[in-house]
Amino acid sequence: MESFIQHYGYLAILLGTFLEGETILVLSGFAAHRGYLHLPWVITAAFLGTLLGDQLFFYLGRRHSEYLLKRRPHWRLRLERTRRLIHSYRILLILGFRFLYGLRTITPFALGMSQVSWQLFLPLNILGAAIWAVCFGCAGYLFGHAVEIFLGDVKQYEYWLFSVLAGGGCIFWIIHRIRHKS
């Protein structure tokens, strides 16, 4: 496991945060605490992944929204809710949508469909991505520290801790997906 994390960890962070990311980033922060990765590089990879993913969804909303909405009609309800948020809280939403689970993908898409210019979105997206990457990366790192305080040497529990974090994230994601399909 150590070798896999050290060889593919930063790439996995970049790809994982491109799509969603909280679980990947907390796991990566924990891996950084354990010494398998370096926290500044974890945060950098997460920052780049989330920034690029959100810029792509903004672009898709701006240029290809009709095509994508035909293929994903279930997005329409969340788009309406997001549009109301854009109308009322434009700046705060751009800075903080990553912290609102379930709005991560749809918000930059909706912002791209709206009247928000890329000149406004890009710098706020950069700032929001940086804040998010630091918060969740450090949360994983601090989780590792807290576990070490309670369990002492966590080497013998590492596999289980990584599994519980990953499994918990997957279960949370599945529950979220099921709730939004009904």
Side-chain angles (χ1 to χ4, degrees):
M1 184 169 73
E2 293 174 32
S3 177
F4 178 81
I5 292 171
Q6 289 171 339
H7 283 82
Y8 301 107
Y10 300 114
L11 179 61
I13 296 165
L14 186 96
L15 295 174
T17 56
F18 185 85
L19 300 171
E20 280 291 333
E22 289 84 3
T23 302
I24 278 283
L25 190 47
V26 170
L27 282 168
S28 302
F30 179 67
H33 182 269
R34 296 297 304 138
Y36 301 127
L37 301 170
H38 298 286
L39 187 60
W41 290 111
V42 165
I43 290 169
T44 301
F47 166 76
L48 290 173
T50 191
L51 178 69
L52 294 173
D54 297 332
Q55 288 301 132
L56 173 66
F57 279 103
F58 181 85
Y59 170 78
L60 292 173
R62 179 70 35 105
R63 301 279 184 234
H64 303 287
S65 58
E66 289 305 317
Y67 172 76
L68 287 170
L69 286 174
K70 285 180 188 172
R71 297 184 52 88
R72 291 181 169 72
H74 61 279
W75 279 11
R76 291 195 187 275
L77 178 62
R78 287 193 298 162
L79 268 173
E80 281 308 311
R81 281 190 268 159
T82 306
R83 283 184 181 143
R84 287 191 300 271
L85 290 172
I86 292 169
H87 180 70
S88 300
Y89 308 102
R90 179 179 301 198
I91 303 296
L92 288 174
L93 185 66
I94 296 171
L95 288 172
F97 68 87
R98 286 171 194 81
F99 294 94
L100 304 172
Y101 196 81
L103 295 180
R104 170 76 194 279
T105 303
I106 201 73
T107 301
F109 184 79
L111 287 161
M113 290 176 64
S114 75
Q115 298 300 316
V116 172
S117 70
W118 71 266
Q119 293 95 336
L120 177 64
F121 182 72
L122 180 61
L124 291 175
N125 192 34
I126 290 169
L127 181 58
I131 292 168
W132 178 85
V134 168
C135 286
F136 278 94
C138 289
Y141 192 90
L142 292 173
F143 173 78
H145 184 68
V147 167
E148 206 167 65
I149 288 171
F150 288 110
L151 298 179
D153 180 24
V154 296
K155 182 75 175 162
Q156 61 189 344
Y157 306 109
E158 243 174 36
Y159 177 78
W160 294 107
L161 289 169
F162 276 109
S163 297
V164 165
L165 282 172
C170 288
I171 290 169
F172 188 73
W173 181 80
I174 289 168
I175 290 169
H176 175 75
R177 297 292 292 185
I178 290 170
R179 285 181 51 202
H180 281 4
K181 287 211 181 215
S182 56

